Amino acid sequence: MGKPKNAMEIFALLDKSNCRLCGEKTCLAFAGAVYTGLKKISECPHLSPEQKALYENKVDPAVTTKSDEDQYVSELKRKLRGLDYEEVATRVAGEKQGDLLKVNVLGKPFAFDKDAQFRTDLHIISWLVVPALEYVCNSKGYVPAGDWISFREIPGGREKYGLFHIRGEAVLKSLADKYPDFFDDVIHMFDGESVEQQFESDISVVLHPLPLVPMMICYWKPEEGMASSLNIFYDATVHDNLGVESAFFLGTGIAQMLEKIARHHGF
Ligand code: SF4
């Protein structure tokens, strides 16, 4: 892999635990610092040698003190401040309440105030801020039609699919293999639903990370001589309603969050 196109590519690799072992307050800040050459990717101790090798010595020296990540979020916030929240709410299946633009994220209420600041009663999940902003700013508001496609079928998804599989699908498969109530808990935690099995899978579960961006997880149990497998599907409208970068964050972010929860419970 060559030089990263932006800090988000680096952020996608990170643990997102905000553990601060790299000396930065958040993984987002670290990604920006790596992109601008202020930090080396090897300073995050949670990355494997293979992951470090992807970007080691492939970033330019710092030319700015403001990270690319910060700039990207600032641009999205500026754009959102200039939008009519009434129009946005209608377009993205959200709701305008007073000065607030409310949108359900993973089945939970999130809101942007009139200054495009993110508000939620939930424990802040920093990696969700970018996809949520991307969604309210840029979604075309197409209604999902139930035409499921794999991540690699999203325009731009093919080249990112290897990482998406490692950091998303493989993580979820490992949890589903070990943890008998995994799918029940996922449904309960994220207000998901079990649906009729798709693609001849044994279990199919649909989540709504964002109102017009459903995500389906299909799991095939192991059977004689065949290992289990798991794939994540998005509706074919995901390209217009969110885009491949944020779809990457949602799939891998959810997987890593579930892995942390499972670890916390001793699985
Ligand atoms: S980048 Fe790595 S070390 Fe830094 S906060 Fe994130 S997980 Fe921790």
Side-chain angles (χ1 to χ4, degrees), residues 111-264:
F112 292 97
D113 67 16
K114 63 182 171 32
D115 295 319
Q117 296 302 324
F118 194 57
R119 290 196 194 174
T120 176
D121 294 337
L122 300 170
H123 174 65
I124 290 281
I125 305 171
S126 60
W127 58 268
L128 278 171
V129 175
V130 174
L133 269 170
E134 184 89 52
Y135 175 72
V136 293
C137 286
N138 297 327
S139 169
K140 291 186 179 154
Y142 293 163
V143 176
D147 181 10
W148 295 106
I149 59 171
S150 75
F151 183 84
R152 86 187 92 184
E153 293 174 273
I154 304 171
R158 185 171 293 275
E159 64 201 42
K160 297 181 199 309
Y161 180 69
L163 262 184
F164 182 79
H165 180 72
I166 293 168
R167 294 191 71 87
E169 292 175 335
V171 171
L172 291 176
K173 182 184 102 62
S174 163
L175 291 172
D177 286 346
K178 287 190 278 205
Y179 179 18
D181 296 327
F182 175 68
F183 286 104
D184 288 342
D185 285 0
V186 168
I187 289 169
H188 178 70
M189 266 189 281
F190 299 136
D191 205 15
E193 54 185 324
S194 183
V195 295
E196 199 177 312
Q197 285 96 332
Q198 302 277 325
F199 305 114
E200 300 183 357
S201 63
D202 294 302
I203 298 172
S204 300
V205 166
V206 172
L207 308 178
H208 289 86
L210 292 158
L212 298 177
V213 183
M215 186 178 110
M216 182 167 69
I217 305 171
C218 290
Y219 178 66
W220 292 261
K221 293 178 180 168
E223 42 180 327
E224 309 111 30
M226 297 256 293
S228 63
S229 67
L230 184 146
N231 286 113
I232 295 173
F233 297 89
Y234 288 96
D235 189 85
T237 51
V238 68
H239 174 62
D240 292 308
N241 283 344
L242 189 65
V244 70
E245 295 280 355
S246 286
F248 183 101
F249 286 134
L250 286 183
T252 58
I254 289 170
Q256 286 164 39
M257 183 167 68
L258 289 170
E259 187 185 38
K260 267 178 221 145
I261 294 170
R263 220 185 294 145
H264 185 70

Side-chain angles (χ1 to χ4, degrees), residues 14-15 17-22 24 26-27 30 44-46:
L14 303 175
D15 183 82
S17 61
N18 300 331
C19 71
R20 301 186 176 198
L21 291 175
C22 57
E24 295 290 339
T26 64
C27 297
F30 178 74
C44 171
H46 301 295

